Amino acid sequence: MARTFIIDEMVGSRGLIRRDEFVKIITSALYSLGYGKAGALLEEESQIKLHPSSVTSFMQLVLEGKWDDSITILREFGLSPETKKCATFVILEQKYLEHLQSGNTKDALLTLRNEISPLCINTNRVHQLAACLVSHSQIIIPSTETIFVSSRQEILENLQKLLPAEVIVPERRLEQLVEQALDRQRESCVFHNILDSGLSLYIDHRCESHQIPSENIQVLQAHGGEVWYVQFSHNGKYLASAATDRMTLKSGRVCLKHLLAGHNKLVCTVSWSPDDSQLLTCGLEEVVRRWDVQSGKCLHVYENLGTALVSCGWFPDGKGVFCGATDKSICIWYLDGREEECWRGHRTLQTSEMAITNDGKSLLSLCQDSAIVFLDRQAKFERLIEEDQAITSFSLSKDSKFLLVNLANEEIHLWSLEGDFKVICTNKGHKRSRFVVRSCFGGIEQGFIASGSEDSQVYIWHRSTGELLLTLPGHSGAVNCVSWNPCNLHMMASASDDRNVIIWGC
């Protein structure tokens, strides 16, 4: 069956890459990594050969040491005079050294006198080669057949670097391009060291300033009051914001989807269902409402007779919700409102700070001014995460291994929740004196920390080092909350007392 391919000349978002060259680089990488079948299949399917037959013959002649024939083919490549002369010099130098190694000094002398010298390039190198006729000590010459072959492969790689890419794709070209990109990132990136089973691993979090969402790309002005809370959905397609006037739901780039009205008091927190089809909202010391995202309708109201609710969240399987109450209890409900479990006692404060680990087995809640309780639901075991300052808010990482704790003394502590709980990094710089300011993880592998601040700026640190990377001006009031898009890592939202939500991008 015949197939016809239409190949665009240029590819890439900016149209700067020649398709044929791009395919050749990928094919070459497949061959060099040992994936010969995959490389051959790509050549067949794309109908773009890695090398024309003349180049393949040239490469084979070099590996076989047929120097005169390889120079003859080289002259057919249409090279510039300078490139042709340099490539010829590389080939003839190898021819000369192999004559020397085999003890054929007569042919070596003829090659040097009649072929290399007339090229009139690299005079110093020619003098060094001539000296080898007198003393072999001035240059290391391979002494085994195995090294001979390796030396020819090395010569071929040098020729590949010298000749234009349209003639022959340089060996390991894709690896070189990736390494060059990483080198450029190292110039402006902060790399951190992780010790894992005794190995030192360096992870590049691409923290160049142009890759952190630092440009004000949109201002959302749907609210008529201070915006206290903002949160992206898990799929990154929706953004929920809570303010002193109402609750809003936004989508797209970024347009208003719903105004969620129904609470009698201010909305203090929101929580997305695991599949993002529903949303929980908690009124300040009031009730928790469950909403349908598509229709904007309230599906259920959760309330605890005799006490008010102050926080809420979803279980990872989406089959239940949990809420913190003003009587310092934690209640767990099925979606239809039936109570599954209730933890009573000094486990919550009148604050919206609660979280659940990604396996659903443990709950975290602010239980004292300076302590967070870690509740193991299965083992009925409790541990305290204690600070020596008042805790204003906290945020759990996606993998549940780390906890961000915002303190009243204008510090943000990064806790490790593996093994013995401990502070592993301290972030400083943002301002907080009166209000609750929230922080979050974000970026590739959640390698950054972002926080609001009472000086109207957003602060961004490197997670592992605590180094302050950026401060983002744009708001005219205290920034209360930030949320980093979990799917579009180049998007972030910040909520402020100036009644606005700013969308940050790259």
Side-chain angles (χ1 to χ4, degrees):
M1 180 172 63
R3 291 183 296 175
T4 302
F5 294 86
I6 300 176
I7 301 178
D8 297 330
E9 184 67 14
M10 310 301 288
V11 297
S13 59
R14 298 169 60 189
L16 301 178
I17 305 171
R18 284 187 54 178
R19 178 186 290 269
D20 58 342
E21 292 182 359
F22 192 50
V23 171
K24 287 179 181 180
I25 289 175
I26 297 173
T27 304
S28 176
L30 290 172
Y31 281 127
S32 67
L33 291 171
Y35 303 129
K37 292 182 179 179
L41 182 62
L42 179 56
E43 286 191 82
E44 179 184 356
E45 186 171 358
S46 67
Q47 297 185 357
I48 299 175
K49 293 295 183 182
L50 177 60
H51 298 121
S53 57
S54 58
V55 172
T56 302
S57 299
F58 170 76
M59 296 169 65
Q60 187 62 36
L61 290 170
V62 170
L63 292 176
E64 293 175 357
K66 297 179 180 179
W67 310 117
D68 295 341
D69 291 338
S70 63
I71 290 175
T72 299
I73 293 184
L74 181 68
R75 292 166 182 164
E76 300 175 0
F77 289 159
L79 305 175
S80 67
E82 190 62 30
T83 300
K84 186 192 302 180
K85 188 180 293 187
C86 290
T88 301
F89 184 91
V90 170
I91 295 172
L92 291 175
E93 180 184 64
Q94 182 67 12
K95 176 183 178 181
Y96 169 79
L97 292 176
E98 290 194 14
H99 279 321
L100 276 185
Q101 184 192 30
S102 63
N104 192 351
T105 55
K106 179 180 178 182
D107 286 340
L109 179 60
L110 290 175
T111 298
L112 181 65
R113 179 184 298 167
N114 300 334
E115 297 181 275
I116 295 179
S117 295
L119 293 175
C120 298
I121 60 172
N122 207 343
T123 305
N124 290 334
R125 181 62 174 170
V126 172
H127 290 163
Q128 291 175 355
L129 294 175
C132 294
L133 286 168
V134 180
S135 173
H136 286 188
S137 64
Q138 295 186 34
I139 189 165
I140 299 176
I141 300 177
S143 58
T144 69
E145 189 63 22
T146 301
I147 297 179
F148 241 164
V149 175
S150 174
S151 177
R152 289 175 180 174
Q153 180 63 42
E154 209 170 86
I155 292 302
L156 181 58
E157 291 180 7
N158 290 337
L159 288 169
Q160 288 174 314
K161 295 175 184 178
L162 185 62
L163 300 178
E166 55 266 25
V167 174
I168 183 170
V169 178
E171 190 74 16
R172 298 180 179 86
R173 180 57 175 160
L174 182 58
E175 290 95 324
Q176 293 169 1
L177 292 173
V178 173
E179 288 172 351
Q180 290 172 10
L182 290 175
D183 286 340
R184 286 194 292 270
Q185 288 179 358
R186 290 189 184 100
E187 295 175 0
S188 55
C189 279
V190 179
F191 278 69
H192 70 277
N193 179 277
I194 297 178
L195 293 180
D196 182 12
S197 303
L199 296 177
S200 182
L201 307 176
Y202 289 87
I203 300 177
D204 175 16
H205 281 294
R206 303 181 188 179
C207 54
E208 292 177 293
S209 59
H210 72 275
Q211 294 190 343
I212 294 176
S214 56
E215 180 183 350
N216 183 337
I217 62 174
Q218 192 175 358
V219 179
L220 310 181
Q221 300 175 318
H223 288 292
E226 299 170 351
V227 189
W228 286 359
Y229 201 93
V230 66
Q231 187 69 49
F232 278 105
S233 59
H234 300 99
N235 60 18
K237 296 180 180 180
Y238 298 101
L239 177 69
S241 59
T244 56
D245 62 334
R246 56 192 167 184
M247 176 73 201
T248 67
L249 191 60
K250 303 178 179 69
S251 64
R253 184 205 177 270
V254 169
C255 58
L256 184 63
K257 184 174 181 65
H258 295 302
L259 297 178
L260 306 181
H263 284 285
N264 295 320
K265 295 187 178 181
L266 307 177
V267 176
C268 58
T269 188
V270 303
S271 179
W272 290 93
S273 65
D275 63 1
D276 295 321
S277 66
Q278 299 178 55
L279 184 73
L280 292 179
T281 62
C282 183
L284 183 61
E285 298 185 26
E286 191 205 24
V287 298
V288 170
R289 290 177 175 270
R290 177 163 58 90
W291 307 84
D292 178 73
V293 170
Q294 290 303 318
S295 65
K297 294 181 179 180
C298 181
L299 301 176
H300 195 87
V301 177
Y302 302 91
E303 52 188 331
N304 204 353
L305 296 178
T307 185
L309 304 179
V310 294
S311 56
C312 63
W314 287 86
F315 276 87
D317 60 8
K319 297 179 180 180
V321 301
F322 58 90
C323 303
T326 53
D327 66 355
K328 301 184 179 180
S329 65
I330 298 175
C331 295
I332 299 173
W333 284 295
Y334 295 104
L335 291 187
D336 60 8
R338 290 178 295 121
E339 184 179 292
E340 177 185 358
E341 188 177 357
C342 190
W343 295 52
R344 304 195 184 280
H346 299 280
R347 292 185 176 87
T348 64
L349 293 179
Q350 295 184 18
T351 175
S352 58
E353 298 311 301
M354 288 188 70
I356 189 168
T357 54
N358 56 9
D359 59 8
K361 296 179 180 179
S362 301
L363 287 166
L364 291 86
S365 175
L366 189 60
C367 64
Q368 301 172 18
D369 285 340
S370 59
I372 298 168
V373 64
F374 186 94
L375 307 171
D376 188 318
R377 297 177 58 226
Q378 293 181 337
K380 304 297 181 183
F381 177 73
E382 300 182 6
R383 297 175 65 180
L384 286 183
I385 300 170
E386 297 182 280
E387 293 277 7
D388 57 8
Q389 295 285 327
I391 298 172
T392 59
S393 65
F394 68 79
S395 177
L396 186 65
S397 65
K398 185 178 180 180
D399 59 11
S400 301
K401 295 180 180 180
F402 301 95
L403 186 71
L404 281 181
V405 180
N406 285 51
L407 302 175
N409 68 345
E410 300 183 334
E411 291 184 357
I412 302 175
H413 287 177
L414 175 65
W415 284 76
S416 170
L417 300 184
E418 295 187 299
D420 295 331
F421 294 171
K422 60 183 178 181
V423 176
I424 58 176
C425 191
T426 298
N427 303 278
K428 299 180 180 180
H430 75 297
K431 306 301 178 185
R432 195 224 71 88
S433 60
R434 297 181 296 160
F435 308 125
V436 173
V437 172
R438 303 183 187 280
S439 58
C440 72
F441 295 93
I444 297 175
E445 298 181 359
Q446 293 200 319
F448 303 109
I449 292 171
S451 176
S453 176
E454 289 184 14
D455 63 1
S456 307
Q457 299 189 96
V458 175
Y459 285 70
I460 300 177
W461 297 267
H462 193 277
R463 190 182 83 181
S464 296
T465 65
E467 178 185 358
L468 180 62
L469 300 176
L470 290 172
T471 57
L472 309 180
H475 286 288
S476 58
V479 180
N480 302 310
C481 184
V482 291
S483 179
W484 207 304
N485 193 313
C487 292
N488 181 353
L489 302 183
H490 303 312
M491 177 181 284
M492 182 173 62
S494 57
S496 172
D497 281 352
D498 64 7
R499 305 182 179 184
N500 295 330
V501 173
I502 291 181
I503 304 299
W504 304 91
C506 296

